[in-house]
Amino acid sequence: MTTPSPNGQRSFAERFESVDDSVPLSLEEAKAILADAGVDPAAGMKRLLAEMDNIDAAARQQRFAKAEVARQRELSRLEKGFEGLGRAELLQQLDIFRTNHPELRANFRSFQGSSDDELRSLLAELEELIRRDGEK
Amino acid sequence: MEAAIIEAAGDDAVLLKYIEAIMDGAGSPAEVAKLSGLTIEVVYQAHRKLVRRVKARQTKETAS
C-alpha cells in the first residue's frame, strides 16, 4: 500500500493555486502589474541611465580635478627646481632618476655623503642630461 | 473553482491534459509536466491561458 502524497491530500483548487505560485510571470503579466502599480519601466530605465551618466560625469570630474592638482604640484616643483626639497626627497628623486635611467648609475655613485646643495646640483645636472637625451 | 477551470479549458487538448495532471495529484509545474508529458514551458503557457480564460469568464459573468 502506498502512502498518499501530500499533493494528493490537497483539493484541486489548492493544487491549482500551488502551481500558480510556481508559474513565472509572462512579460505581459509583468507589464500589466507594473502598469497597475503606476510604474513606467521605460521612464524608470531612462531615469536609471541618467543617474548612471551623472555618477560617471562626477567620477570623471573628480579624476580631472585630481590630475589637475598633480599637474599644478609638478608645475610648481618645476618652477622651484629642487629648492624646496628636503634631504629625504632629494635622495628619493635621485633614486627615481637612477631607476628610470640605469645608464646614469655608473656616473653617480657614493652621493650619500654629499650635502643637500650638492645633491640639488646633482639632480639639476641629471635632469638636464635626461632632457638632452630625450631630445636626441 | 474546479468546474470553472474545466469549463474554461473547453476542448483544448493541452489544457485538458494540464487539468488531468492536477486532478491526478500534481501540485507544481514540474509535477504537471511529469504526469502530462507536456514540457515545462507548455505547462506555464497552459496555466496562464487557463487563468486568463477563467478571469475573462468571471468578468463576463459579473457584467451580465
Side-chain angles (χ1 to χ4, degrees):
Chain A
M1 194 176 144
T2 55
T3 315
S5 72
N7 282 340
Q9 292 167 347
R10 293 189 293 170
S11 71
F12 177 91
E14 283 170 338
R15 290 197 298 276
F16 186 81
E17 289 293 330
S18 171
V19 173
D20 191 54
D21 289 341
S22 307
V23 172
L25 291 176
S26 68
L27 187 62
E28 288 72 26
E29 286 169 326
K31 280 181 180 171
I33 290 169
L34 288 173
D36 282 349
V39 177
D40 180 352
M45 182 57 82
K46 211 173 167 182
R47 272 202 308 278
L48 183 67
L49 290 174
E51 186 58 30
M52 284 167 70
D53 276 350
N54 287 341
I55 292 169
D56 247 14
R60 208 178 311 123
Q61 212 168 8
Q62 208 172 7
R63 278 201 305 276
F64 284 160
K66 228 173 171 178
E68 180 59 17
V69 168
R71 194 180 74 89
Q72 290 297 341
R73 198 187 300 133
E74 185 60 14
L75 274 177
S76 153
R77 194 198 65 73
L78 286 173
E79 276 171 17
K80 288 183 196 162
F82 299 103
E83 288 307 313
L85 301 185
R87 186 165 185 83
E89 290 165 316
L90 289 169
L91 289 173
Q92 190 185 17
Q93 187 58 52
L94 205 51
D95 263 352
I96 292 171
F97 281 164
R98 282 160 52 86
T99 306
N100 293 340
H101 302 277
E103 70 276 12
L104 300 173
R105 284 181 183 214
N107 300 325
F108 298 94
R109 284 185 298 185
S110 309
F111 48 81
Q112 269 78 5
S114 312
S115 70
D116 288 3
D117 281 341
E118 284 169 335
L119 283 177
R120 283 189 192 97
S121 161
L122 181 60
L123 280 170
E125 201 179 328
L126 279 173
E127 199 172 44
E128 180 60 19
L129 279 172
I130 292 163
R131 191 185 60 76
R132 279 192 207 160
D133 195 48
E135 285 172 0
K136 279 182 194 169
Chain B
M1 187 185 188
E2 188 172 346
I5 292 169
I6 294 169
E7 207 176 313
D11 55 1
D12 188 315
V14 172
L15 298 187
L16 290 173
K17 269 188 180 180
Y18 169 90
I19 290 170
E20 207 179 337
I22 294 187
M23 282 175 161
D24 288 345
S28 72
E31 286 172 354
V32 173
K34 197 175 169 188
L35 286 177
S36 65
L38 301 170
T39 65
I40 195 83
E41 217 24 75
V42 171
V43 170
Y44 291 157
Q45 285 165 9
H47 181 85
R48 290 177 191 133
K49 199 171 182 179
L50 264 179
V51 170
R52 265 200 315 273
R53 285 190 183 184
V54 170
K55 278 182 183 168
R57 280 167 176 265
Q58 283 171 347
T59 310
K60 210 171 168 184
E61 279 167 17
T62 313
S64 63

